[in-house]
Amino acid sequence: MTESTGGIDMDEDSSGTIKKFAFVNRKAPYGTIYALESLEVVLISAAFDQDVSLVFADDGVYELKKGQATKSVGMKNFSPTYRALEGYDIEKIFVEKESLDARGLTADDLVVPVEVLTSDEIATLLDEQDVVLSF
Amino acid sequence: MLHIVNKSPSERNTLDSCLRMAKKGSTILLIEDGVYGATKGGVAENKLKAAMADIKVYALWPDLEARGMQDSVIDGIEQVDYNGFVDLVAADKNVQSWL
Amino acid sequence: MKFGILVNEGPYTHQAADTAYQFAKAVLEKGHEVHRVFFYHDGVNNASKLTEPPQDDRHIVNRWSKLAEEHGLDLVVCVAAGLRRGLVDVNLAPGFRISGLGQLVETGIQADRTVTFGD
């Protein structure tokens, strides 16, 4: 999906600075485009060699649900892309436990291995970031 | 850390999520429809009051005023204008918008 | 201090487009710098020069163009999000430019704070 992101511009002095970026995903897939376009930012961020974490909370945990089949709605199933993140060296994927519990899900229901954290642990993680982009 | 919430607490769970994942000592700014959370008699009044023991809460008064809610703000919630908004962003190390 | 601003919603539909503008104006009034305003998702529609609101309403697009002209703001529309929604060079308002998502990440790196306005 990177072909649609329009290229990467790295000018000025971006290279060299490493910041902690967290992408917080709180919206379900398909109902709105936010989840998909958030993933596009995540993929681009990999090219900048930043310290990237992905956080899934609230309905955002549905983005990772196994078994998505979008043929009948005529939309692109982008859930396999989460499995490709490892190839981009994006390996810090966190899911809020309370959000999973509230939706009857466990880590086994998700398309990628994740680290399940409590709300308090997510709070600490977010607090440590330099840049938090929430979609 | 500054947390920005722009959703009405009677329509969305955004404020609840923010309160659940905000560290003690952080700051919350309510803007746009989020300012309904700052008003007396609303669904968020009690939980917000409880949270205010550990978290400083602000509301954007241009948004309160636009909605006619300027006279019903919960005691202890400080009101800021857009300049104050900028100051709050500058004051904390990082910021998150709970969209 | 350098501020990055991300606008994720279109004009008139969601107040985010207005709040982002008021915030940017306040940043400049307080003597800070706006590193870049990045328009993403439906936010790309803030850059359409075909926008014509009723005369008694604010002109959100022209407001950005004017602010850019006065303060040399860098207003960047995401190319991929723009193409999806039919926002391309031919309907791009003055003061905006189209570029890649890398510009958003770069703003995150270079600005002291990056603030998101959206739904």
Side-chain angles (χ1 to χ4, degrees):
Chain A
M1 63 197 299
T2 46
E3 78 281 358
S4 65
T5 46
I8 296 163
D9 313 275
M10 289 178 72
D11 50 10
E12 300 175 52
D13 56 348
S14 302
S15 51
T17 311
I18 297 179
K19 281 192 172 182
K20 286 166 106 71
F21 273 74
F23 295 95
V24 181
N25 300 279
R26 295 183 46 252
K27 295 192 169 84
Y30 310 115
T32 57
I33 197 171
Y34 301 105
L36 169 61
E37 286 190 329
S38 165
L39 187 54
E40 292 184 347
V41 183
V42 171
L43 291 169
I44 291 292
S45 73
F48 286 79
D49 294 325
Q50 301 296 300
D51 182 358
V52 173
S53 297
L54 268 60
V55 176
F56 294 85
D58 295 311
D59 281 356
V61 302
Y62 288 134
E63 293 176 26
L64 300 178
K65 175 71 177 63
K66 276 181 190 164
Q68 296 177 31
T70 57
K71 192 160 176 283
S72 300
V73 293
M75 296 166 87
K76 179 176 160 181
N77 178 2
F78 58 93
S79 63
T81 309
Y82 294 107
R83 290 204 296 267
L85 289 174
E86 199 183 353
Y88 289 80
D89 289 328
I90 295 172
E91 289 162 339
K92 296 182 185 174
I93 304 182
F94 303 100
V95 176
E96 193 207 16
K97 181 177 187 302
E98 287 76 355
S99 296
L100 284 177
D101 290 349
R103 287 159 184 79
L105 298 173
T106 69
D108 291 340
D109 295 308
L110 309 180
V111 293
V112 282
V114 300
E115 191 173 338
V116 179
L117 299 180
T118 64
S119 313
D120 286 347
E121 289 168 330
I122 299 268
T124 301
L125 178 85
L126 292 174
D127 198 60
E128 289 166 352
Q129 303 300 311
D130 296 305
V131 182
V132 181
L133 295 176
S134 173
F135 292 99
Chain B
M1 184 172 191
L2 175 66
H3 301 270
I4 301 170
V5 174
N6 71 341
K7 301 296 183 306
S8 163
S10 16
E11 193 202 357
R12 306 270 277 269
N13 66 356
T14 314
L15 180 61
D16 289 330
S17 298
C18 171
L19 290 172
R20 199 170 70 236
M21 289 177 262
K23 262 181 96 86
K24 284 181 182 177
S26 56
T27 305
I28 294 176
L29 171 64
L30 302 168
I31 69 168
E32 299 170 2
D33 287 351
V35 299
Y36 290 116
T39 58
K40 289 175 188 162
V43 294
E45 182 175 7
N46 290 338
K47 54 190 150 198
L48 207 53
K49 278 181 176 166
M52 281 162 64
D54 302 311
I55 289 170
K56 178 79 181 149
V57 181
Y58 295 83
L60 195 66
W61 73 253
D63 282 328
L64 283 163
E65 202 175 36
R67 290 161 177 78
M69 302 305 282
Q70 63 271 37
D71 296 329
S72 30
V73 177
I74 297 164
D75 296 335
I77 294 183
E78 200 169 316
Q79 299 178 42
V80 293
D81 61 6
Y82 291 105
N83 284 348
F85 184 170
V86 173
D87 290 340
L88 287 175
V89 175
D92 282 5
K93 179 175 111 34
N94 52 5
V95 54
Q96 176 180 0
S97 296
W98 290 81
L99 301 181
Chain C
M1 189 172 267
K2 271 192 265 188
F3 287 77
I5 295 172
L6 171 61
V7 183
N8 286 342
E9 292 301 323
Y12 305 105
T13 301
H14 195 287
Q15 198 190 348
D18 289 275
T19 309
Y21 171 79
Q22 301 294 350
F23 182 81
K25 212 156 61 96
V27 165
L28 296 165
E29 277 168 15
K30 291 195 66 77
H32 296 297
E33 187 187 329
V34 174
H35 176 264
R36 177 172 294 144
V37 185
F38 192 86
F39 296 88
Y40 196 43
H41 301 299
D42 279 359
V44 299
N45 292 314
N46 285 282
S48 172
K49 73 173 179 192
L50 303 175
T51 305
E52 274 186 56
Q55 285 202 342
D56 60 351
D57 201 352
R58 72 234 189 264
H59 199 307
I60 293 179
V61 178
N62 288 358
R63 216 164 53 171
W64 279 118
S65 293
K66 186 162 172 281
L67 202 66
E69 193 188 350
E70 288 169 358
H71 298 275
L73 289 192
D74 189 19
L75 306 180
V76 177
V77 176
C78 172
V79 61
L83 283 170
R84 267 200 182 106
R85 295 161 177 87
L87 198 292
V88 290
D89 278 320
V90 294
N91 54 338
L92 194 68
F96 292 87
R97 65 185 179 95
I98 293 177
S99 190
L101 262 179
Q103 299 267 294
L104 169 60
V105 180
E106 188 192 78
T107 292
I109 296 168
Q110 293 184 353
D112 299 301
R113 304 283 186 278
T114 300
V115 187
T116 306
F117 297 91
D119 189 18

